[in-house]
């Protein structure tokens, strides 16, 4: 046993590789990607809200226009 422990050519363990989760550059890159994804998600949400609101307003405007047209037609009928 003393021959194994006292041997000068005993294998030296390799140093532990750095943990990739502790890499500041990789962490910064992940944060930037996360921010970009959130900004894109918010932009798509705003675009769909604007499109939906436009469609809703278009439908409401068409209904008001049809109502006004019926009123004009009824007024013409009454006046002759």
């Amino acid at each position: 046993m003393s021959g194994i422990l006292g041997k000068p050519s005993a294998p030296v363990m390799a140093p532990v590789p750095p943990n990739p989760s502790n890499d500041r550059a990789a962490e910064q890159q992940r944060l930037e990607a996360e921010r970009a994804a959130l900004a894109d998600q918010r932009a798509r949400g705003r675009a769909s809200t604007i499109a939906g609101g436009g469609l809703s307003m278009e439908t409401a405007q068409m209904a008001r226009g049809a109502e006004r047209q019926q009123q004009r037609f009824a007024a013409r009928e009454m006046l002759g």
Side-chain angles (χ1 to χ4, degrees), residues 1-10:
M1 186 121 167
S2 64
I4 294 174
L5 295 176
K7 200 173 185 186
S9 63

Side-chain angles (χ1 to χ4, degrees), residues 49-75:
T49 300
I50 291 168
L55 181 61
S56 174
M57 290 307 295
E58 180 182 339
T59 305
Q61 181 65 35
M62 288 175 63
R64 282 193 299 269
E67 182 182 344
R68 299 286 190 249
Q69 185 178 14
Q70 287 175 351
Q71 289 173 351
R72 286 190 301 269
F73 181 73

Side-chain angles (χ1 to χ4, degrees), residues 22-59:
N22 290 340
D23 185 14
R24 288 195 185 273
E27 183 178 349
Q28 186 67 27
Q29 200 172 28
R30 281 192 301 273
L31 287 174
E32 288 174 11
E34 181 182 349
R35 286 185 192 116
L38 285 172
D40 183 49
Q41 180 183 19
R42 289 181 184 134
R44 282 185 281 127
R46 281 190 296 272
S48 67
T49 300
I50 291 168
L55 181 61
S56 174
M57 290 307 295
E58 180 182 339
T59 305

